[in-house]
């Protein structure tokens, strides 16, 4: 027999006043949150640090027109934005003093009320908006009449419109939207509650709101275009940096693949000589045989690791060359092939010709080849000259070409600058020196020095 146990419901307890603090949180509605966010944005844009000191910076003088200016005119061009604001302020002052027929003292005050807010935009932009809002009713009291425009006098109308536009340029579109909304609210309130005796002559709140909307819309479009241009410029900079980095890695990979044959040849020679050396000596001691065996084992291991490195840097479409890597002995064949393309090339060799390390000769050959390729690409029809100098301590190269006969026929090359990058990598690898730049005649010159260690004076 089983026994069932039933739980009795707990008696309902009346809520006490102290339990109000423990009520569950009720989420706010989306409309309420949107309204609170809007008020927070209004406070942040127009009330927080409204009169903070924010001087208008000087403009850049790297534009297409200012770049051509010289001397003091170029320095003055940096202040052109300040000059435009001062001119707008004087224009608003002129409108204020010439549109209302009152006393000379009041006329001067109206001019200041139209001038000062515009000038204040250069140092305290948001504060200038509030000053313009405060100056509008004050100007209406001083210069207003039964036949005056309402609620903005002509000078106040121009002043407030200029202030809205300048502050919108100096701030962000959200701030401009708040200024436009407050301007519309001000016009609506003044027309409905303080427009006694002016309704018969019409008001200018609608024109103010309309022209302010057009000005702020134009400024907003300008902001959007400028931000888009900055984003595009930043993206282009990043893309150019990544392209340069990728080109550099590709050049280093190419150099590594080319030098593989040179290093592999030397290591093979070491292994063969270490294996044959004990047989050249009668009754070599066991220590010597063991040392040569160790040398051969290390050389073979180095060759194995070298082949693995080549497998890492080899591209998917890479094919090992059948012919050996070129040297300076193949330079005449290179110049002959270049002459067949129509490029006039003169070659000069100075100093005692001697055999150099294969890495130096390979790099020298590639540098001359790349320099002549750049001449064909960027200066078609120009003449070139190649100078090879065997000097004490190394090898000197100089490749120079003249200006192209028809500069307009030169087409932009997407790989411009990549050849110079490859040359510099080869020279840096050999601890050499290189200079590249335009000549006074309008051509281009590449000068390289590749040091060669262990060259004595007798060998030179």
């Amino acid at each position: 027999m089983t026994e069932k146990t039933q739980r009795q419901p707990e008696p309902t307890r009346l809520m006490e006043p102290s339990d109000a603090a423990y009520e569950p949180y009720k989420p706010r509605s989306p409309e309420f949150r949107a309204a609170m966010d809007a008020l927070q944005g209004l406070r942040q844009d127009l009330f927080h640090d409204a009169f903070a000191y924010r001087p208008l910076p000087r403009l850049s003088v790297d534009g297409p027109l200012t770049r051509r200016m010289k001397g003091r005119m170029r320095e003055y061009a940096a202040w052109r934005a300040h000059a435009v604001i001062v001119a707008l302020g004087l224009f608003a002052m002129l409108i204020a003093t010439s549109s209302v027929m009152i006393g000379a003292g009041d006329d001067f005050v109206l001019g200041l009320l139209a001038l000062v807010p515009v000038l204040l935009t250069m140092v305290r932009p948001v504060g200038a908006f509030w000053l313009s809002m405060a100056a509008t009713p004050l100007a209406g009291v001083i210069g207003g009449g039964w036949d005056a425009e309402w609620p903005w006098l002509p000078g106040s109308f121009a002043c407030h419109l200029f202030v809205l536009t300048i502050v919108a340029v100096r701030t962000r579109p959200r701030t401009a939207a708040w200024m436009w909304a407050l301007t519309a609210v001000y016009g609506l309130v003044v027309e409905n509650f303080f427009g006694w005796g002016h309704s018969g002559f019409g008001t200018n709140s609608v024109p103010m709101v309309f022209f302010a909307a057009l000005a702020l819309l134009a400024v907003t479009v300008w902001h959007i275009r400028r931000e888009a241009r900055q984003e595009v410029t930043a993206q282009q900079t990043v893309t150019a940096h990544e392209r340069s980095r990728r080109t550099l890695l590709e050049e280093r990979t190419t150099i590594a693949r080319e030098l593989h044959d040179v290093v592999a040849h030397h290591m093979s020679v070491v292994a063969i000589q270490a294996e044959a050396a004990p047989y050249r000596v009668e009754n070599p001691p066991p220590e010597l045989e063991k040392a040569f065996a160790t040398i051969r084992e290390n050389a073979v291991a180095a060759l194995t690791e070298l082949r693995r490195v080549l497998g890492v840097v080899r591209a998917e479409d890479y094919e090992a060359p059948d012919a050996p890597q070129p040297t300076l002995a193949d330079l005449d064949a290179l110049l002959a092939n270049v002459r067949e393309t129509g490029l006039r090339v003169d070659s000069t060799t100075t100093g005692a010709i001697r055999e150099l390390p294969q890495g130096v000769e390979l790099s020298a050959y590639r540098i001359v080849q790349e320099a002549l390729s750049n001449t064909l690409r960027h200066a078609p029809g120009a003449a070139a000259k190649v100078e090879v100098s065997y000097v004490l301590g190394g090898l000197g190269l100089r490749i120079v070409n003249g200006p192209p006969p028809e500069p307009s026929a030169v087409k932009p090359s997407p790989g411009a600058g990549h050849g110079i990058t490859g040359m510099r990598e080869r020279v840096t690898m050999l601890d050499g020196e290189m200079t590249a730049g335009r000549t006074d005649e309008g051509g281009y010159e590449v000068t390289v020095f590749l040091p060669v260690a262990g060259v004595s004076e007798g060998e030179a």
Side-chain angles (χ1 to χ4, degrees):
M1 180 176 181
T2 59
E3 186 178 14
K4 296 183 179 180
T5 304
Q6 295 182 352
R7 297 181 59 184
Q8 298 294 331
E10 297 181 359
T12 305
R13 184 173 61 89
L14 295 178
M15 182 177 293
E16 298 179 358
S18 59
D19 295 336
Y22 299 97
E23 290 183 359
Y25 172 76
K26 295 181 179 179
R28 303 292 186 181
S29 64
E31 293 79 4
F32 180 82
R33 289 199 300 268
M36 294 303 297
D37 292 341
L39 293 177
Q40 182 64 23
L42 173 63
R43 177 181 176 276
Q44 182 181 358
D45 290 340
L46 295 182
F47 290 94
H48 183 67
D49 291 337
F51 286 87
Y53 181 67
R54 301 169 186 172
L56 178 66
R58 292 185 297 175
L59 298 181
S60 174
V61 291
D62 295 332
L65 296 178
T66 56
R67 193 184 297 114
R68 301 177 182 178
M69 299 180 181
K70 297 181 180 179
R72 290 190 174 275
M73 290 298 298
R74 186 180 177 88
E75 297 179 3
Y76 294 154
W79 299 95
R80 57 188 183 275
H82 301 74
V84 171
I85 294 177
V86 172
L88 292 176
L90 294 176
F91 183 60
M93 181 179 181
L94 178 62
I95 295 176
T97 56
S98 61
S99 60
V100 181
M101 302 301 295
I102 55 177
D106 294 338
D107 196 28
F108 178 74
V109 174
L110 287 178
L112 290 181
L113 291 177
L115 173 65
V116 174
V118 179
L119 298 183
L120 190 63
T121 58
M122 292 188 291
V123 289
R124 305 182 192 276
V126 179
F129 166 74
W130 288 116
L131 182 59
S132 177
M133 291 290 292
T136 297
L138 183 59
V141 172
I142 296 175
W146 297 112
D147 58 346
E149 296 184 10
W150 183 260
W152 280 277
L153 295 182
S156 301
F157 191 97
C159 169
H160 195 67
L161 192 59
F162 293 157
V163 168
L164 286 178
T165 305
I166 298 171
V167 177
V169 171
R170 296 203 57 195
T171 57
R172 51 183 175 176
R174 192 180 73 175
T175 305
W178 281 121
M179 293 189 301
W180 180 85
L182 291 181
T183 300
V185 170
Y186 170 80
L188 181 64
V189 171
V190 171
E191 284 185 6
N192 289 278
F193 297 98
F194 301 96
W196 310 295
H198 294 277
S199 59
F201 298 94
T203 61
N204 55 5
S205 294
V206 174
M208 167 60 75
V209 173
F210 176 74
F211 287 113
L214 289 181
L216 298 183
L217 178 61
V219 173
T220 302
V221 172
W222 175 79
H223 273 295
I224 295 174
R225 288 177 56 87
R226 186 183 65 171
E227 292 176 0
R229 191 183 304 112
Q230 291 176 351
E231 291 180 0
V232 170
T233 303
Q235 188 63 34
Q236 288 177 346
T237 303
V238 172
T239 303
H241 176 72
E242 291 297 330
R243 186 186 298 113
S244 255
R245 185 172 176 273
R246 184 175 63 252
T247 302
L248 183 62
L249 294 177
E250 291 175 355
E251 291 294 338
R252 290 179 178 178
T253 303
T254 302
I255 295 173
R257 290 198 299 261
E258 292 179 350
L259 290 180
H260 167 266
D261 294 342
V262 177
V263 179
H265 170 72
H266 287 297
M267 296 303 298
S268 300
V269 171
V270 170
I272 294 172
Q273 291 180 346
E275 185 177 7
Y279 300 101
R280 296 188 178 186
V281 181
E282 295 183 0
N283 300 322
E287 294 82 2
L288 183 62
E289 292 183 355
K290 185 177 180 181
F292 280 117
T294 303
I295 293 175
R296 183 183 180 281
E297 291 177 0
N298 290 334
V300 173
L303 277 172
T304 303
E305 296 298 330
L306 189 61
R307 292 189 184 97
R308 293 177 182 174
V309 172
L310 180 64
V312 173
V313 301
R314 180 185 292 121
E316 295 181 357
D317 57 349
Y318 172 76
E319 296 181 0
D322 297 332
Q325 297 291 353
T327 63
L328 289 176
D330 303 313
L331 193 58
D332 291 337
L334 172 64
L335 298 179
N337 291 334
V338 172
R339 291 188 184 101
E340 291 179 358
T341 63
L343 180 66
R344 294 170 296 168
V345 185
D346 295 331
S347 176
T348 304
T349 303
T350 59
I353 300 177
R354 62 184 184 276
E355 184 177 356
L356 301 175
Q358 291 183 348
V360 175
E361 295 214 1
L362 172 61
S363 296
Y365 179 91
R366 294 302 187 194
I367 290 172
V368 174
Q369 183 182 38
E370 187 61 42
L372 294 178
S373 298
N374 287 345
T375 301
L376 289 172
R377 187 181 303 113
H378 303 293
K385 184 177 183 181
V386 178
E387 297 180 3
V388 181
S389 302
Y390 291 85
V391 297
L392 183 63
L395 177 71
L397 300 173
R398 181 174 178 267
I399 306 96
V400 59
N401 63 267
E406 298 181 2
S408 59
V410 180
K411 299 180 179 180
S413 175
H418 294 179
I420 299 297
T421 301
M423 296 182 202
R424 292 193 186 279
E425 283 299 311
R426 294 181 184 276
V427 173
T428 303
M429 175 189 65
L430 298 173
D431 295 329
E433 298 178 0
M434 171 180 167
T435 58
R438 295 195 174 277
T439 62
D440 296 337
E441 293 80 12
Y444 204 84
E445 179 180 0
V446 176
T447 305
V448 174
F449 176 74
L450 302 177
V452 178
V455 180
S456 63
E457 184 178 355
E459 293 173 345

